[in-house]
Amino acid sequence: MIATRRPKLWVKFQSDITGIAESEIDIETIAPYLYFLGDSEVPALTNNYVSDRMQDGAKFSYAKYNLTNITANFYLKFTDWYSFRLAKHDFNSYFGRKGIYRIRTDTHKGIVRYVRVAALPDIEPAETEAHYALFSLVFENPQGLGKSLLTSNSLYTYSEEGWQLGMNFPNGVDLKYHYQNVSRFKIYNASDIDIDPYLQGHQLSVNYKFVGDRLTLRNKSTNTVYTLNYTSKGDDEILIDGIVTYINSSLATDKTNYGFFKLAAKSWNDFEVSEGELKEITFDFPFLYLPS
């Protein structure tokens, strides 16, 4: 018997060929009597070392999160061989496409994973003359992490679907990612890991306006410093996109110290303006989470 209360899996597909993203669907709607039974994923952390032929042992070099496999389990019920083959075709037709599947479950409504199908399952009746099949579909998660469904700058649009318990948000605190006319401010990174646009290529956008001949911003929590040498009267639109700077949509990284911001995980990041007058600033980035 299939329990009346079961896990839910929502999927949104984007084709490699057309680039068009479809609407998100409940996966149980793609075939009659198809039921999602749950999924599993294990973090893949790898430590890398460097060896010297003249020295004993090895020296630590760096650690990284690798690709993970996500196993999604399904139950399919059917009345006869014809309904079985039709349901099997519906399943293979949906998951046998070249593209990215954005998946999320009801246990983590606010966290999505961008995956590809590793291999289609061999869907067969559980035993001779059985009218049901149990099978698993394996996804590949290239980043090995999950992302928040919404980004930090969308906190003001709080909804049950976008944010949830278990996402490392401090209780009873009004989180802000947009400030005006400040010389010091705090940014909270609710991710399980540090946000690092330089070494890890993590998504981090900072939009700001300032007045002066130079602006210097320092994240005292991670000791990362960014300086822009440019005269602005406060009406220029300046964007730090990861490690690249744009002024009024024109590339301007050469006017900086080639600095960037790293955000410490599950903590407040204290920022200080030491040069220039900051008029407005907005941080926009997705939170990153380890599999659970």
Side-chain angles (χ1 to χ4, degrees):
M1 294 292 292
I2 295 296
T4 55
R5 181 174 176 83
R6 301 183 313 280
K8 287 292 183 180
L9 175 66
W10 295 285
V11 182
K12 184 176 184 178
F13 175 74
Q14 181 171 344
S15 169
D16 284 343
I17 299 173
T18 66
I20 297 175
E22 300 176 355
S23 298
E24 184 180 66
I25 65 167
D26 182 333
I27 202 57
E28 294 185 358
T29 64
I30 67 172
Y33 304 108
L34 175 68
Y35 303 99
F36 173 64
L37 302 180
D39 68 323
S40 62
E41 182 184 13
V42 178
L45 178 63
T46 300
N47 297 316
N48 291 270
Y49 300 86
V50 176
S51 298
D52 189 292
R53 287 191 292 177
M54 298 297 294
Q55 293 181 338
D56 295 332
K59 293 183 178 180
F60 174 77
S61 178
Y62 61 91
K64 61 174 291 188
Y65 294 108
N66 286 319
L67 175 149
T68 58
N69 288 326
I70 302 170
T71 301
N73 302 308
F74 295 92
Y75 172 95
L76 175 64
K77 182 181 178 181
F78 49 90
T79 56
D80 52 37
W81 184 251
Y82 304 101
S83 62
F84 166 70
R85 293 299 297 269
L86 286 172
K88 183 176 179 179
H89 175 265
D90 289 339
F91 188 92
N92 289 340
S93 177
Y94 186 81
F95 283 114
R97 296 179 288 177
K98 300 176 181 178
I100 296 174
Y101 294 83
R102 191 195 77 180
I103 63 174
R104 65 188 180 111
T105 65
D106 60 338
T107 56
H108 296 89
K109 291 182 179 180
I111 299 175
V112 297
R113 291 165 288 176
Y114 293 89
V115 302
R116 291 181 181 272
V117 174
L120 291 171
D122 184 13
I123 306 174
E124 295 296 339
E127 56 187 356
T128 302
E129 297 185 0
H131 289 270
Y132 71 96
L134 292 165
F135 59 93
S136 299
L137 175 65
V138 179
F139 297 105
E140 292 174 339
N141 180 2
Q143 192 175 17
L145 301 166
K147 290 185 176 181
S148 57
L149 176 64
L150 304 177
T151 62
S152 61
N153 199 36
S154 302
L155 281 173
Y156 67 91
T157 60
Y158 178 86
S159 69
E160 184 179 353
E161 294 294 316
W163 307 107
Q164 63 178 70
L165 294 175
M167 295 181 72
N168 303 327
F169 296 126
N171 291 329
V173 179
D174 182 19
L175 300 181
K176 292 182 61 177
Y177 295 89
H178 173 76
Y179 291 89
Q180 292 178 304
N181 301 312
V182 292
S183 58
R184 300 190 67 170
F185 59 92
K186 292 183 177 183
I187 296 295
Y188 190 82
N189 176 19
S191 306
D192 285 335
I193 66 172
D194 295 343
I195 298 296
D196 188 345
Y198 177 63
L199 290 178
Q200 303 302 329
H202 294 153
Q203 181 182 340
L204 173 61
S205 296
V206 182
N207 291 271
Y208 71 91
K209 294 180 181 180
F210 82 104
V211 174
D213 297 324
R214 167 188 278 195
L215 179 76
T216 296
L217 282 168
R218 178 188 298 273
N219 183 353
K220 299 171 66 178
S221 301
T222 59
N223 198 31
T224 47
V225 182
Y226 170 88
T227 298
L228 175 66
N229 296 296
Y230 176 79
T231 300
S232 177
K233 296 181 180 179
D235 53 357
D236 294 294
E237 298 283 347
I238 305 171
L239 166 66
I240 309 172
D241 184 11
I243 60 174
V244 181
T245 295
Y246 298 89
I247 300 177
N248 300 321
S249 300
S250 297
L251 188 63
T253 308
D254 61 341
K255 294 179 173 61
T256 74
N257 66 334
Y258 296 95
F260 64 97
F261 297 127
K262 184 176 180 179
L263 303 180
K266 291 190 283 190
S267 62
W268 291 99
N269 290 260
D270 294 311
F271 282 82
E272 181 179 68
V273 183
S274 58
E275 294 180 275
E277 182 183 348
L278 186 63
K279 303 301 293 183
E280 185 176 9
I281 190 166
T282 301
F283 281 70
D284 194 26
F285 60 96
F287 303 118
L288 303 179
Y289 298 94
L290 293 171
S292 61

